[in-house]
Amino acid sequence: VSERAADLELVLSLGDLADELTMESWRSSGLSTRSKADGSPVTAVDSEVEQTLRDRVLGMHPHDGFVSEELGVTVGTSGRCWYVDGVDGTTAYADGRTEWSTLIALTEHGELRQGLCTAPALGKRWYVAIDGHAVTTESHGQTRRVRVSAASQEPTARVACWPPALQIRDHVSDHGRRRLDELT
């Protein structure tokens, strides 16, 4: 198995593990949040996912670095570093909405080697396939290549925004709101 294939296999298995942990607590009655120093919310699940993934990665690759939002930095010596956000979109997660994910990336000597965004409540994943192309996989197993539209004119171009523009309208600057209105 090539190193690239091994990295893909590992990142997908980390995604599976994160999905299992996050879905166990999502929409549960016992889920609580606390505010971090910057005012953003965090749940115990955020830290649990990051700790579990760090333990798995460093158990297999003890010389890799690991950086996560809740646990901070574990310095490595291999030139490889993992970046993890256990629950990206904690407010949506805690509210029981679907627009949250786990983000995992691997760099080697500062260059992106692999990345995964897994959104189990949506039944979707985005990652870098073995051939180096970005792909998306949906819950029914269909995988397709992600492509950027070649349309250059606004009437024929498609613009996507997550969370949906209607949900964030009241939380952006006046300029941002005007641009959202123009584009949507």
Side-chain angles (χ1 to χ4, degrees), residues 87-159:
V87 178
D88 183 50
T90 301
T91 299
Y93 181 83
D95 288 347
R97 298 190 328 260
T98 58
E99 59 272 6
W100 56 271
S101 62
T102 298
L103 306 175
I104 303 168
L106 169 62
T107 62
E108 188 164 9
H109 302 291
E111 297 291 322
L112 182 63
R113 182 166 182 85
Q114 185 52 258
L116 170 75
C117 172
T118 181
L122 294 172
K124 293 185 177 208
R125 280 188 169 177
W126 298 266
Y127 58 95
V128 179
I130 196 71
D131 63 5
H133 291 108
V135 296
T136 184
T137 302
E138 298 190 14
S139 56
H140 51 67
Q142 180 184 5
T143 298
R144 65 179 172 78
R145 186 170 170 195
V146 175
R147 300 187 185 275
V148 175
S149 172
S152 61
Q153 301 298 315
E154 282 189 32
T156 57
R158 291 188 306 180
V159 177

Side-chain angles (χ1 to χ4, degrees), residues 25 28-34 41-46 90 93-94:
S25 298
S28 71
S29 60
L31 185 66
S32 64
T33 63
R34 65 176 172 78
V42 65
T43 69
V45 177
D46 290 82
T90 301
Y93 181 83

Side-chain angles (χ1 to χ4, degrees), residues 20 24 46-47 59 72 81 100 102 128 135-136 141 151 167 174 179:
E20 181 181 319
E24 275 178 18
D46 290 82
S47 299
C81 189
W100 56 271
T102 298
V128 179
V135 296
T136 184
Q167 290 181 11
D174 289 340
R179 288 299 295 152

Side-chain angles (χ1 to χ4, degrees), residues 10-22:
L10 178 54
V11 82
L12 291 174
S13 72
L14 293 172
D16 292 342
L17 185 54
D19 289 354
E20 181 181 319
L21 293 169
T22 54

